[in-house]
Amino acid sequence: MTGEFELIARVTEGLEVNSDVVLSVGDDSAVVSLQGDTVVCTDILVENVHFKRQWSPAHAVGRKAVAVNVSDLEAMGCRPSSVVVALAFPKDLDPQWVVDFEAGVRDECVAAGVSLIGGDMSSSEIIVACVTAIGDTMGQQPVTRSGARVGDVVAVRGNLGLSGAGLVVLQRGFGSPKSAVAEHLTPSIQYGEGRAAAAAGATAMIDVSDGLLADLGHIAEQSGVRIDVHTASLPVDDAVARVAAATGKPAVGFVLAGGEDHALAATFPADADLPEGWLRIGSVLPGAGVTVDGAEFDGSRGWDHFG
């Protein structure tokens, strides 16, 4: 256990832990004491699938590995508590890469307010980072994908389209607009916004990782409703508009289907006061699926993991 203990021990040294951590690094398992139901999710970052070393610094990969997991906890309206990190990498990898990855993990744990309580290391042909995140419902009901009701409004919180625009830029060998590239390398998670949405009465919620239309489709399917997105209400960042103009692609396409945004999308009762920063972008109607401005959308709806 020497390797994995050294990795986690270095990252957790001097890192403040949540009061719910009873036993952290040093034993075969960690122990946490939570007030409500335990919420667990996991995500994996695979080299050349989710990131490329040629444009993704190790620090950014470490941050992203934590961020995308905690975002899933936010989407349940719960309080993020802890994470466990597993890392596999080639034997000839520059040790500095691992050091920088550790620093990224540490920095994002601090930003997210979570404790790093364990992990593992192994050798692999490529770099693979897997994070498991643990959250606490604090005695409240989790917000699921199945609660949207006809008459609800649809709202989002966070960046839409920037990550997809950043990926296009990187694939073409460029480094600007910097805001788009930065968002693709490490998503800006709106920590605390999931709980704010739950407190405001959110009926369903999801982390936008595959693309806005694709992920709203999950809510529509599990709730048995139709969701209509109003393009006139969608925010289009200046950087997204610049990439769209340079590539001849419609800016709204990045917003609707860019993927890896890790914004939050939720449905709320029509009379709910949306939390500050949340933007209404659509409505919940009878029927099935997701439409755009009342019609079927014939473009890409988002990322297909096995397409």
Side-chain angles (χ1 to χ4, degrees), residues 89-152:
F89 52 88
K91 294 179 180 179
D92 61 355
L93 182 68
D94 184 347
Q96 187 62 45
W97 196 98
V98 179
V99 171
D100 292 343
F101 174 86
E102 295 170 5
V105 167
R106 177 189 179 96
D107 288 347
E108 199 65 25
C109 282
V110 171
V114 298
S115 302
L116 178 61
I117 58 174
D120 193 16
M121 292 175 67
S122 181
S123 62
S124 172
E125 293 298 317
I126 56 174
I127 299 172
V128 179
C130 182
V131 174
T132 297
I134 302 167
D136 187 353
T137 64
M138 303 293 287
Q140 305 300 314
Q141 288 296 314
V143 183
T144 67
R145 302 176 180 183
S146 61
R149 297 293 178 262
V150 172
D152 284 354

Side-chain angles (χ1 to χ4, degrees), residues 113-207:
V114 298
S115 302
L116 178 61
I117 58 174
D120 193 16
M121 292 175 67
S122 181
S123 62
S124 172
E125 293 298 317
I126 56 174
I127 299 172
V128 179
C130 182
V131 174
T132 297
I134 302 167
D136 187 353
T137 64
M138 303 293 287
Q140 305 300 314
Q141 288 296 314
V143 183
T144 67
R145 302 176 180 183
S146 61
R149 297 293 178 262
V150 172
D152 284 354
V153 299
V154 182
V156 296
R157 181 71 166 94
N159 296 312
L160 291 174
L162 266 178
S163 178
L167 177 59
V168 168
V169 167
L170 290 167
Q171 288 174 331
R172 297 189 176 210
F174 297 103
S176 64
K178 291 184 178 179
S179 60
V181 171
E183 193 66 27
H184 180 72
L185 297 181
T186 304
S188 301
I189 307 302
Q190 309 296 315
Y191 295 120
E193 289 298 329
R195 283 165 285 165
T203 54
M205 188 155 49
I206 195 168
D207 161 66

Side-chain angles (χ1 to χ4, degrees), residues 58 73-75 80 83 154 156 173 196 215-216 220 248:
L73 296 180
E74 290 280 352
V83 297
V154 182
V156 296
D215 287 314
L216 287 178

Side-chain angles (χ1 to χ4, degrees), residues 41 43 63-76 78-83 108-109 111-114 131-134 189-192 195 207 262 264:
C41 65
D43 251 303
R63 286 188 58 197
K64 187 173 186 176
V66 174
V68 300
N69 277 273
V70 179
S71 181
D72 282 335
L73 296 180
E74 290 280 352
M76 302 296 290
C78 73
R79 181 185 69 88
S81 168
S82 314
V83 297
E108 199 65 25
C109 282
V114 298
V131 174
T132 297
I134 302 167
I189 307 302
Q190 309 296 315
Y191 295 120
R195 283 165 285 165
D207 161 66
H262 297 286
L264 293 176

